[in-house]
């Protein structure tokens, strides 16, 4: 169970680091190349979403079977950041990615928003990772 949890954590974070150079290339891409890059970004986000489902399920089972209580500070903090990240993820990427085909939208502005959202989400994921690995006791 622990290995599945760790693997799903890696699959929840890793693809976003791979997307950083892709987003950089999206600034100058056009036509079919841009379409393929947007498709790649969507596919990576889908992989992260499904890995997140496994991460949550295995996390619940590990808490249920492990020595920790649901009120433990690092668990509460992880859950709070996770709920925030779910709402953020739902609005961070898809609306921006849908705008790439519009002639009215500025491609550089969209890439800038995408890059900003990507870094915010990476930081949220790293914060949750820190809570799970270090298990800080705040109370």
């Amino acid at each position: 169970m622990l290995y599945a949890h760790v693997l799903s954590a890696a699959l929840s974070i890793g693809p976003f680091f791979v997307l950083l150079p892709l987003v950089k290339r999206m600034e100058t891409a056009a036509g079919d190349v841009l379409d393929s890059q947007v498709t790649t970004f969507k596919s990576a986000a889908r992989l992260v979403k499904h890995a997140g489902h496994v991460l949550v399920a295995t996390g619940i089972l590990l808490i249920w079977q492990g020595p920790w209580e649901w009120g433990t500070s690092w668990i509460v903090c992880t859950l709070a950041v996770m709920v925030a990240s779910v709402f953020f993820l739902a609005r961070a990427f898809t609306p921006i990615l849908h705008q790439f085909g519009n002639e009215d939208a500025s491609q550089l502005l969209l890439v800038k928003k995408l890059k900003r959202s990507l870094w915010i989400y990476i930081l949220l994921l790293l914060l949750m990772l820190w809570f799970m690995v270090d298990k800080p006791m705040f109370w």
Side-chain angles (χ1 to χ4, degrees):
M1 190 65 56
L2 181 61
Y3 291 115
H5 190 66
V6 170
L7 179 61
S8 61
L11 287 173
S12 293
I13 296 172
F16 284 123
F17 286 103
V18 174
L19 289 177
L20 289 170
L22 178 76
V23 171
K24 180 71 176 155
R25 281 187 245 124
M26 289 172 78
E27 292 175 352
T28 57
D32 290 340
V33 173
L34 180 61
D35 291 342
S36 68
Q37 291 170 339
V38 169
T39 301
T40 301
F41 197 102
K42 286 179 183 178
S43 298
R46 196 174 309 119
L47 171 67
V48 166
K49 178 177 72 171
H50 293 305
H53 294 146
V54 174
L55 183 66
V56 170
T58 56
I60 289 170
L61 291 172
L62 285 168
I63 293 170
W64 177 54
Q65 294 177 345
W68 303 287
E69 307 252 339
W70 284 100
T72 306
S73 63
W74 67 269
I75 294 173
V76 171
C77 292
T78 301
L79 291 172
V81 174
M82 184 180 67
V83 168
S85 69
V86 166
F87 285 108
F88 178 77
L89 183 61
R91 298 183 310 147
F93 301 119
T94 304
I96 297 170
L97 292 170
H98 284 302
Q99 292 180 24
F100 271 98
N102 296 344
E103 290 89 28
D104 299 339
S106 166
Q107 185 169 332
L108 290 177
L109 181 62
L110 291 175
V111 170
K112 183 178 177 180
K113 286 181 182 180
L114 201 57
K115 191 181 305 182
R116 182 177 179 271
S117 295
L118 192 57
W119 276 112
I120 290 170
Y121 197 65
I122 286 171
L123 291 174
L124 288 171
L125 291 172
L126 290 175
L127 179 61
M128 285 188 285
L129 184 64
W130 174 66
F131 287 144
M132 288 186 283
V133 172
D134 193 33
K135 296 174 180 38
M137 292 298 182
F138 298 119
W139 57 81

